[in-house]
Amino acid sequence: MSNSPSVMLIGLPAGHHSIPEEVKPKIGAMLDQVGKDVANAGYQYDFFGVSPEEGTKPLVQKLKEKKYDGICIGFGVRGQGQLTVFFEDLVNAIVKNAPGTQLLFNSTPNDTLAAIKRRVPLHSA
């Protein structure tokens, strides 16, 4: 799998205060399943939880450590109006620090694999 494409899903940390308590377990379970599904499909996969309170510094550091073929910014960040500036900051950090990386967007954790396959196809051997 070392030659398989590498993808990252960026989202809010599971314990983030903006996520309602009653949905945190469901989101956590969905994200766990996403990781399994993406890995089983043949991709190297990382989930990266980052919050507006942290800013983009942790993401920039991660992008210095590893190259990704695709990075998906989840709807939990994109879909909240109060996080628009943070979303823009994430996009700009990716563009600046990971040039050539495909930007991906899902609408729920459940369609993350479809978003990955659209922009980061697996190469047959």
Side-chain angles (χ1 to χ4, degrees):
M1 285 244 297
S2 63
N3 289 335
S4 59
S6 180
V7 295
M8 174 196 286
L9 172 60
I10 297 173
L12 295 172
H16 194 263
H17 63 83
S18 70
I19 301 171
E21 287 298 323
E22 64 274 9
V23 299
K24 286 179 182 179
K26 181 179 178 181
I27 291 172
M30 286 192 302
L31 289 173
D32 288 345
Q33 189 60 51
V34 167
K36 292 174 188 170
D37 292 346
V38 173
N40 288 339
Y43 295 89
Q44 296 177 51
Y45 171 80
D46 291 321
F47 174 77
F48 193 76
V50 66
S51 70
E53 295 82 12
E54 295 172 291
T56 60
K57 215 175 252 193
L59 175 62
V60 170
Q61 182 59 42
K62 182 71 173 175
L63 295 176
K64 289 178 182 178
E65 296 168 4
K66 184 172 180 180
K67 181 189 179 315
Y68 290 92
D69 297 295
I71 298 176
C72 182
I73 302 175
F75 193 74
V77 172
R78 294 188 340 271
Q80 297 188 56
Q82 71 272 24
L83 297 180
T84 298
V85 172
F86 180 55
F87 170 59
E88 292 172 342
D89 291 344
L90 291 172
V91 169
N92 286 314
I94 294 165
V95 168
K96 180 178 179 181
N97 295 282
T101 299
Q102 291 289 309
L103 289 172
L104 320 169
F105 303 101
N106 62 8
S107 55
T108 72
N110 294 331
D111 69 3
T112 301
L113 182 57
I116 291 168
K117 287 181 174 181
R118 275 195 309 267
R119 298 287 174 207
V120 186
L122 290 169
H123 303 289
S124 50

